[in-house]
Amino acid sequence: MTALQELGRKVGGGIYQRDYSLGSPLKMPTTITRELVPALKGLSKVKAKNNVIYLIKCPFCKSSDHTHSGCHFIVGYIEGFLASNPAIDVVQVEETNCGAGSTNICEFTIG
């Protein structure tokens, strides 16, 4: 795990604890649409479909020519956010497409 991914896990977990931990925990699909997507909107335009998160104009990649430039932070953020939810057992997030230098749409698959 990279330092940026670990930092993202701490930030994502903290955001969940601060803003979403009160009340009944939601299951995975509902957590993604009702909690994770709004939490990520502060970073970028976000879309979600079938456990895949799309960041449009990802702020970590838009000025980079390298692949996977800063997306380790986002992978960690999503993992930390979801892992903080007691209704979700195991979370694994993979960046399945980095938009650096091309489409500028990063894709993250949640497993």
Side-chain angles (χ1 to χ4, degrees):
M1 183 179 306
T2 68
L4 275 176
Q5 189 172 349
E6 182 60 31
L7 177 62
R9 284 182 69 84
K10 290 180 181 181
V11 171
I15 296 292
Y16 180 86
Q17 292 299 324
R18 183 189 75 196
D19 297 340
Y20 299 98
S21 64
L22 297 176
S24 298
L26 303 173
K27 300 284 185 195
M28 180 69 87
T30 308
T31 295
I32 291 171
T33 57
R34 288 192 191 169
E35 297 176 342
L36 180 61
V37 168
L40 286 168
K41 282 186 177 180
L43 300 174
S44 171
K45 185 175 179 183
V46 182
K47 291 186 181 182
K49 184 179 180 182
N50 299 330
N51 287 6
V52 178
I53 301 290
Y54 302 93
L55 287 185
I56 296 108
K57 296 184 180 177
C58 177
F60 296 97
C61 297
K62 67 180 178 183
S63 62
S64 174
D65 293 329
H66 308 329
T67 58
H68 305 288
S69 60
C71 294
H72 295 289
F73 177 83
I74 299 296
V75 167
Y77 184 101
I78 295 169
E79 286 176 345
F81 188 94
L82 294 175
S84 294
N85 181 337
I88 298 174
D89 291 329
V90 178
V91 176
Q92 184 176 353
V93 178
E94 179 184 356
E95 181 184 24
T96 47
N97 184 52
C98 181
S102 62
T103 64
N104 206 15
I105 298 174
C106 294
E107 177 182 295
F108 303 90
T109 302
I110 301 166

